[in-house]
């Protein structure tokens, strides 16, 4: 049984109060180890380490900071197999996915921000006539907090901590208590890469205790959070009276809108992925599929045939879907499938558990397609965050736009069409932070990332992240010539 310890001031430490919690392996449905169940005392210790490290780290040259981030990236690459296996065991995702996406993107985060910080220029404005010169000084904030979810554990953890430290801040970070393993292993890599002690402190434990202590800490000046909308709302209420800078990346219920003039084969192949990648547990999954009526019946038949052929099983083998992340989460997803049936929707395929030989206690669900007739029904409005998509026909652009925008969320949208004018009309009018046209999950790290409405506040990614993790100060100098 492994023990997940905190990483504070460059060393692994047991939780001060000696409290532990269970770490589960979702593909086996068994306890695999124990996690530090940290309290505000551990957060305070991490904060003090971060505060002590700040003066020196914030004055470290950009080249030196950059070199360390690039070394961390290299070491993540070197440990690809070990980290991918740990991610897959902890989360239930197919090893293939962890190897091809999660871990490479984690190292890409350090590599990207290691380079980006050396290119992060500030603005200067000469006020002719007033004889003043203004320039914007971008200063690191100080000690910042980063809190991340379980669905893409190392990828989203590093998505926050890499720009935070690149910009010269020091960090108290907490990964999800459901998937702490890879953030724990990152500690060794940080030490080996030569990151000075206290620059990045990693606390493990529950949201309402350890997480809450980070958000409430008066010395932690900014919080970058990715997780559920309800948690984000709670965080915003907690942080607002302290005037903390907040970045909130929250839930989604994204439309996948398919027009008859699309490249059908490409669309079908990508729609399988955008529906069920990572067991549908990606905030960007296209969980509401709208299909133009002219191709609706054909799409329905082809899609259901392909979904039925998807393999579900031991994530360490070559399967399409592994296990969902926890028993509680499986129950929540099954609850939604029942709600759909109660609301009169039709389950076209899936909707049941899968028993995997030798792993009978694992949390496996069949990929599920639900045909709905009312865009307002609960399964079409609420985030399920599992291998479940809804399917519905539409007749016009206006109708599908209204249905697409009728949810509280606004994270991403996918469009399938070959019509350029329609692409522009739809893209402009869809309420979402990201619109993919004839593709899905294509990410260029320079682009802004985030949602509107209940999907969040603020943007991360590229220079947006470096802007979030710095304060802009206007300096105005009067000169005489
Ligand atoms: P969650 O909100 O339950 O937890 C996220 C993190 O917040 C965890 O580390 C948790 O311990 C912590 N937390 C919980 N309560 C807290 C509190 N009171 N104070 C401080 N921290 C607290 O979310 P989850 O179940 O881990 O993740 C799934 C959700 O994340 C989904 O809604 C999904 O859409 C969303 N998500 C969004 C994005 C995005 O970029 N917009 C990306 C991935 C996941």
């Amino acid at each position: 049984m492994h023990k997940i310890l905190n990483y504070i001031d460059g060393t692994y430490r047991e939780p001060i109060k000696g409290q532990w919690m269970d770490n589960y392996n979702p593909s086996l449905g068994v306890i695999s180890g124990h996690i530090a169940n940290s309290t505000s005392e551990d957060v305070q210790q991490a904060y003090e380490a971060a505060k002590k490290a700040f003066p020196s780290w914030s004055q470290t040259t950009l080249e030196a900071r950059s070199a360390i981030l690039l070394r961390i990236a290299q070491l993540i690459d070197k440990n690809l197999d070990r980290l991918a296996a740990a991610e897959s065991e902890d989360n239930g995702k197919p090893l293939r996915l962890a190897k091809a996406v999660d871990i490479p993107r984690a190292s890409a985060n350090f590599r990207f921000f290691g380079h980006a910080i050396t290119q992060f220029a500030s603005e200067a404005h000469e006020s002719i006539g007033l004889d003043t010169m203004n320039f914007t000084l971008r200063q690191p904030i100080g000690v910042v907090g980063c809190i991340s979810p379980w669905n893409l554990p190392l990828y989203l953890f590093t998505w926050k901590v890499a720009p935070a430290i690149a910009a010269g801040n020091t960090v108290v970070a907490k990964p999800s208590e459901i998937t702490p393993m890879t953030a724990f292993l990152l500690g060794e890599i940080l030490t080996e890469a030569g990151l000075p002690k206290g620059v990045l402190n990693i606390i493990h434990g529950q949201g309402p205790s350890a997480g809450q202590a980070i958000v409430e800490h008066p010395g932690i000046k900014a919080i970058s959070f990715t997780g559920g909308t309800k948690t984000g709302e709670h965080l915003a209420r907690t942080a607002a009276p302290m005037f903390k800078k907040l970045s909130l990346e929250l839930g989604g219920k994204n439309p996948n809108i398919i027009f008859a003039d699309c490249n059908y084969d490409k669309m079908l192949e990508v729609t399988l992925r955008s529906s069920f990648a990572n067991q549908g547990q990606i905030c960007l999954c296209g969980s509401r599929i709208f299909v133009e009526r002219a191709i609706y019946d054909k799409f329905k038949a082809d899609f259901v045939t392909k979904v039925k052929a998807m393999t579900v099983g031991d994530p360490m083998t070559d399967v399409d879907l592994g296990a969902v992340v926890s028993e509680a989460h499986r129950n929540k997803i099954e609850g939604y499938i029942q709600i759909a049936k109660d609301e009169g929707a039709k389950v076209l395929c899936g909707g049941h558990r899968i028993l995997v030989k030798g792993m009978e206690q694992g949390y496996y669900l069949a990929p599920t397609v639900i045909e709905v007739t009312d865009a307002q029904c609960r399964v079409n409005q609420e985030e399920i965050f599992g291998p479940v998509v809804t399917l519905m026909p539409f007749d016009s652009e206006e109708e599908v736009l209204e249905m697409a925008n009728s949810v509280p969320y606004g994270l991403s949208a996918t469009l399938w069409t070959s019509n350029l004018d329609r692409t522009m009309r739809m893209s402009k009018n869809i309420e979402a932070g990201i619109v993919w046209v004839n593709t899905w999950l294509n990410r260029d790290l320079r682009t802004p990332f985030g949602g509107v409405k209940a999907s969040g506040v603020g943007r991360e990614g590229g220079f947006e992240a470096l802007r979030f993790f710095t304060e802009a100060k206007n300096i105005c100098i009067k000169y005489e010539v």
Side-chain angles (χ1 to χ4, degrees):
M1 290 258 168
H2 58 252
K3 257 185 156 182
I4 306 277
L5 305 173
N6 293 329
Y7 179 80
I8 298 175
D9 210 12
T11 54
Y12 283 113
R13 298 189 188 181
E14 300 223 342
I16 292 173
K17 287 205 165 159
Q19 295 170 0
W20 298 90
M21 51 197 286
D22 295 334
N23 185 197
Y24 281 86
N25 175 326
S27 52
L28 297 173
V30 298
I31 295 170
S32 52
H34 296 101
I35 315 166
N37 190 0
S38 305
T39 58
S40 57
E41 286 80 356
D42 301 292
V43 170
Q44 180 61 22
Q45 203 177 61
Y47 168 72
E48 280 163 15
K51 190 174 173 213
K52 195 172 68 189
F54 179 71
S56 156
W57 181 246
S58 57
Q59 292 308 309
T60 299
T61 64
L62 297 184
E63 289 71 20
R65 268 189 241 159
S66 171
I68 292 176
L69 267 82
L70 299 181
R71 269 206 297 279
I72 297 171
Q74 255 177 10
L75 289 169
I76 292 176
D77 289 342
K78 197 173 142 198
N79 285 281
L80 171 70
D81 289 341
R82 182 173 171 231
L83 289 167
E87 201 73 299
S88 176
E89 272 171 33
D90 215 16
N91 173 279
K93 68 177 68 212
L95 178 64
R96 190 161 41 88
L97 189 68
K99 251 183 165 167
V101 179
D102 289 72
I103 308 306
R105 287 199 180 190
S107 77
N109 286 335
F110 280 105
R111 193 169 295 107
F112 176 82
F113 286 107
H115 290 301
I117 193 61
T118 65
Q119 305 294 317
F120 186 46
S122 60
E123 293 165 349
H125 304 279
E126 184 186 13
S127 307
I128 294 169
L130 296 175
D131 291 343
T132 55
M133 186 65 173
N134 289 274
F135 68 93
T136 308
L137 189 64
R138 285 262 166 201
Q139 294 177 296
I141 298 169
V143 181
V144 301
C146 298
I147 300 177
S148 55
W150 50 258
N151 64 324
L152 306 167
L154 193 65
Y155 172 24
L156 290 179
F157 186 79
T158 55
W159 168 252
K160 295 176 179 305
V161 300
I165 64 174
N169 302 284
T170 55
V171 179
V172 178
K174 194 191 90 60
S176 169
E177 61 275 34
I178 301 172
T179 52
M181 195 49 160
T182 44
F184 166 70
L185 295 174
L186 183 67
E188 285 172 25
I189 289 177
L190 301 178
T191 303
E192 195 181 338
L195 186 71
K197 290 177 178 181
V199 172
L200 174 51
N201 304 279
I202 304 170
I203 291 285
H204 297 279
Q206 301 182 60
S209 44
Q212 182 83 15
I214 294 174
V215 180
E216 281 178 349
H217 198 293
I220 298 178
K221 302 291 183 201
I223 303 285
S224 168
F225 170 81
T226 299
T229 292
K230 272 212 158 63
T231 317
E233 191 187 324
H234 173 77
L235 251 69
R237 284 185 206 281
T238 310
M242 288 180 275
F243 306 106
K244 289 196 183 193
K245 216 173 173 188
L246 265 189
S247 171
L248 300 175
E249 302 288 349
L250 310 177
K253 188 74 181 174
N254 313 301
N256 178 9
I257 302 171
I258 299 166
F259 287 93
D261 64 3
C262 70
N263 176 335
Y264 187 85
D265 293 341
K266 185 78 196 153
M267 173 278 295
L268 195 59
E269 175 205 321
V270 176
T271 293
L272 273 184
R273 270 200 307 120
S274 68
S275 302
F276 300 114
N278 205 35
Q279 296 73 247
Q281 302 166 137
I282 301 181
C283 53
L284 304 162
C285 276
S287 54
R288 292 181 293 151
I289 306 177
F290 297 102
V291 184
E292 195 168 12
R293 198 175 297 276
I295 58 163
Y296 184 74
D297 288 338
K298 175 174 167 49
F299 175 82
K300 182 166 116 180
D302 292 346
F303 187 58
V304 168
T305 304
K306 285 201 177 284
V307 174
K308 281 182 175 164
M310 291 182 102
T311 52
V312 182
D314 180 356
M316 295 295 162
T317 62
D318 190 23
V319 287
D320 296 315
L321 285 84
V324 300
V325 80
S326 69
E327 188 177 10
H329 193 55
R330 180 184 62 187
N331 295 345
K332 177 190 154 185
I333 298 165
E334 287 180 329
Y336 271 109
I337 294 169
Q338 189 55 46
I339 288 169
K341 289 177 183 163
D342 295 344
E343 284 183 327
K346 193 167 163 196
V347 177
L348 298 177
C349 64
H352 53 82
R353 294 182 184 184
I354 301 270
L355 219 54
V356 177
K357 201 158 181 280
M359 306 177 116
E360 286 79 5
Q361 304 302 314
Y363 317 129
Y364 298 95
L365 284 174
T368 301
V369 183
I370 301 176
E371 187 174 43
V372 298
T373 50
D374 176 8
Q376 296 305 310
C377 67
R378 281 187 64 190
V379 283
N380 218 42
Q381 289 284 318
E382 298 175 21
E383 186 185 43
I384 301 174
F385 213 55
V388 179
V389 290
T390 61
L391 182 60
M392 211 180 153
F394 68 87
D395 292 298
S396 68
E397 261 180 56
E398 296 71 27
E399 181 197 11
V400 77
L401 193 60
E402 196 185 320
M403 293 195 291
N405 288 343
S406 74
V407 293
Y409 299 102
L411 189 53
S412 69
T414 305
L415 289 179
W416 291 96
T417 180
S418 56
N419 181 320
L420 184 58
D421 296 336
R422 169 188 287 149
T423 297
M424 286 311 296
R425 276 194 304 273
M426 293 288 294
S427 302
K428 281 183 166 188
N429 291 314
I430 280 184
E431 294 167 355
I434 301 157
V435 179
W436 279 296
V437 183
N438 299 329
T439 183
W440 177 73
L441 209 60
N442 234 309
R443 287 284 303 142
D444 181 321
L445 290 180
R446 292 169 299 182
T447 59
F449 179 91
V452 298
K453 306 201 288 190
S455 290
V457 179
R459 292 291 178 273
E460 298 187 352
F463 288 155
E464 297 289 342
L466 296 177
R467 284 187 197 106
F468 174 77
F469 283 116
T470 50
E471 289 287 5
K473 185 182 282 176
N474 169 228
I475 298 184
C476 175
I477 303 171
K478 173 82 179 144
Y479 60 82
E480 313 242 335
V481 282

